[in-house]
Amino acid sequence: MSQDIQHLMRPGTLSLSSLPPLSLYVHLPWCLKKCPYCDFNSHEWQSGASGELPEQRYLDALCSDLEHSLPLIWGRAVHSIFIGGGTPSLFSPAAIDRLISDLRARLNLEADCEITLEANPGTFEKDRFKAFRSAGVTRLSIGVQSFNNAHLKALGRVHDRAQALAAVEEAANAFDTFNLDLMYALPGQTLANLEDDLDTLLAFEPPHVSVYHLTIEPNTVFAKFPPQVPQDDDAYAMLDRITERTALTGMQRYEVSAYAKPNHRCWHNLNYWQFGDYLGIGAGAHSKLSFAHRITRQVRFREPALYMTQALQGAPVTQHEEVSRDDLPFEYMLNALRLKEGFSLTDYMARTGLAMTSIQKGLAAAEAKQLIGRDLNKVWPTERGFDFLSDLQELFLADR
Ligand SMILES: C[S@@+](CC[C@H](N)C(=O)[O-])C[C@H]1O[C@@H](n2cnc3c(N)ncnc32)[C@H](O)[C@@H]1O
Ligand code: SF4
């Protein structure tokens, strides 16, 4: 373990009255092909010469990683698991079954623990959905992105409209709850194109939709060869239509980019936004863990082969740091102000271990700019706050 537990338990500058709920993130890093816009820790898996995915070795590495991390979360219950990527659905159902059994054997999982798996809409992934369910996955998250063949092609996706339709149908058959990822402001996309995507998407009555504005991330193919994307005003109009049309089907925009029917919110992501704790295992995974007197962050080795070697030797962590008192208000707001319902002041104090005085100036400035509403115990972003979210969050930066 990179930091011994006694060191983490020593007195410090924070005072947390209780520890927040704990989630587990598991990163599976391979994809069939790297998409030109993607800056996630995902690596093309070239079959052929190198053969099959190294599933068993990777699962062994995850086990070793988890076992070395257990002292950091000793005795705590796990409320949700998110198996993300990459393309986790490239792993066989037998491998996912082994993974979930390995986790169950080592963790204290809540009886109603949500277990999400990210899946791509390719044909062979779709044929595995029911088996993923039998392995213990309770929620599937499908990277549909669009149902328009030209736009899927522009995004460099390996699936087409027909495969997206078949995958969503299969997910609806196999799972009680599922999420569809939709991207907008795509190269060449018009408002009418987006309406078509929404027609198709909403016809499935999905319980949950995550909506992302295509962003051009540094060090991606799109950053080097930028595609022509819709103007900002057009992109705003698209987002407005998404919010209006999902509302008509009974979905609520409960977070900046997440829409859900009642009782279908993603528990795992809610825990992130409420500044809960998470242990992240797997290549490049991030963790945030609280102790009585400090909050720490960890990052694991990014490159899958190096990660496996390191994890199997009991040293998967490449960075470990304590979040400073000064950074906590902003870090908290980066998450909590994404939520329509905002946060309670009691939660703020419990989760950061700081007093209310640490955000009084920021709250007053945000209120004066009509970016938040508040009562005696709650603070929430106004509609304007949602529209100018980064301006709102910046009011809580340390140097203000
Ligand atoms: C971690 S990715 C993995 C999901 C899955 N591998 C896939 O791509 O279908 C989660 C989601 O982030 C979104 N995403 C990734 N890169 C993005 C970008 N540059 N701009 C906007 N959304 C992005 C996509 O909607 C994607 O489904
Ligand atoms: S499939 Fe998903 S994770 Fe993989 S490269 Fe594409 S966007 Fe990234």
Side-chain angles (χ1 to χ4, degrees):
M1 199 176 28
S2 56
Q3 285 255 326
D4 79 77
I5 188 71
Q6 258 149 21
H7 192 72
L8 292 165
M9 300 300 275
R10 75 197 189 285
T13 56
L14 303 178
S15 180
L16 274 72
S17 51
S18 60
L19 298 183
L22 174 68
S23 295
L24 178 78
Y25 176 77
V26 183
H27 194 75
L28 305 186
W30 291 288
C31 293
L32 280 181
K33 180 170 167 275
K34 182 85 183 173
C35 303
Y37 56 86
C38 176
D39 79 336
F40 285 90
N41 185 30
S42 56
H43 302 258
E44 247 174 62
W45 179 255
Q46 315 282 6
S47 49
S50 37
E52 301 291 303
L53 276 180
E55 283 182 339
Q56 295 307 321
R57 184 169 157 81
Y58 196 76
L59 294 176
D60 290 344
L62 287 174
C63 268
S64 166
D65 186 345
L66 179 60
E67 279 171 6
H68 282 88
S69 311
L70 283 179
L72 303 181
I73 55 163
W74 224 227
R76 296 176 67 180
V78 171
H79 296 255
S80 65
I81 298 175
F82 196 101
I83 306 169
T87 305
S89 51
L90 282 184
F91 273 57
S92 64
I96 298 300
D97 190 85
R98 179 190 152 190
L99 171 63
I100 294 176
S101 307
D102 286 347
L103 300 177
R104 281 194 193 285
R106 287 162 182 79
L107 293 167
N108 170 18
L109 301 191
E110 288 283 326
D112 59 351
C113 184
E114 174 189 274
I115 305 185
T116 304
L117 179 109
E118 275 184 341
N120 283 26
T123 310
F124 82 92
E125 286 108 328
K126 181 208 79 178
D127 295 338
R128 299 171 159 186
F129 288 178
K130 284 205 176 75
F132 289 142
R133 170 82 193 231
S134 306
V137 173
T138 64
R139 181 175 183 274
L140 207 66
S141 176
I142 309 181
V144 168
Q145 322 308 353
S146 169
F147 292 97
N148 178 306
N149 278 331
H151 297 145
L152 287 170
K153 201 161 170 216
L155 287 175
R157 299 293 303 201
V158 288
H159 71 272
D160 60 16
R161 174 185 169 86
Q163 286 171 314
L165 293 172
V168 180
E169 203 168 287
E170 181 61 14
N173 277 331
F175 285 88
D176 299 332
T177 194
F178 61 91
N179 167 62
L180 304 180
D181 281 345
L182 180 78
M183 289 168 75
Y184 71 98
L186 307 178
Q189 192 178 35
T190 63
L191 191 55
N193 293 149
L194 175 84
E195 297 272 8
D196 289 344
D197 266 354
L198 286 173
D199 287 342
T200 313
L201 180 105
L202 295 174
F204 286 106
E205 302 190 1
H208 193 288
V209 177
S210 299
V211 171
Y212 302 105
H213 185 163
L214 171 66
T215 45
I216 307 299
E217 303 288 349
N219 304 317
T220 57
V221 173
F222 273 6
K224 215 166 164 191
F225 306 103
Q228 188 130 45
V229 290
Q231 303 280 327
D232 283 352
D233 284 353
D234 295 329
Y236 278 121
M238 290 182 189
L239 181 59
D240 283 346
R241 279 308 281 154
I242 293 167
T243 306
E244 283 163 17
R245 292 201 49 192
T246 47
L248 289 174
T249 69
M251 304 182 93
Q252 197 207 2
R253 186 183 183 193
Y254 69 103
E255 187 267 346
V256 175
S257 43
Y259 300 72
K261 296 222 157 122
N263 303 318
H264 287 280
R265 293 178 178 194
C266 173
W267 203 97
H268 186 88
N269 287 340
L270 262 177
N271 196 36
Y272 289 160
W273 298 319
Q274 292 171 343
F275 215 54
D277 275 2
Y278 50 94
L279 172 68
I281 60 172
H286 291 235
S287 307
K288 176 228 163 207
L289 293 168
S290 305
F291 301 87
H293 299 295
R294 61 191 33 77
I295 295 175
T296 61
R297 292 198 180 277
Q298 293 183 332
V299 185
R300 276 146 171 75
F301 287 94
R302 248 179 103 79
E303 204 282 313
L306 179 60
Y307 164 77
M308 288 192 278
T309 308
Q310 289 290 133
L312 289 166
Q313 290 169 2
V317 175
T318 168
Q319 280 173 48
H320 190 130
E321 65 190 22
E322 205 169 307
V323 184
S324 79
R325 266 180 85 89
D326 286 351
D327 289 342
L328 272 172
F330 180 62
E331 290 218 6
Y332 184 88
M333 298 305 168
L334 274 183
N335 290 286
L337 290 172
R338 297 180 62 91
L339 289 168
K340 184 101 198 157
E341 286 162 15
F343 61 93
S344 73
L345 299 175
T346 357
D347 272 352
Y348 173 77
M349 292 187 284
R351 302 276 158 108
T352 60
L354 296 173
M356 259 294 296
T357 46
S358 56
I359 46 169
Q360 245 147 19
K361 237 167 98 184
L363 288 179
E367 197 171 25
K369 295 183 173 170
Q370 295 171 354
L371 296 171
I372 56 161
R374 60 170 159 166
D375 60 23
L376 277 182
N377 187 36
K378 290 216 82 174
V379 176
W380 59 90
T382 56
E383 215 163 287
R384 192 178 150 79
F386 248 20
D387 286 345
F388 297 97
L389 189 57
S390 24
D391 295 343
L392 167 57
Q393 290 160 331
E394 279 171 19
L395 296 173
F396 297 90
L397 276 169
D399 56 351
R400 292 212 167 235

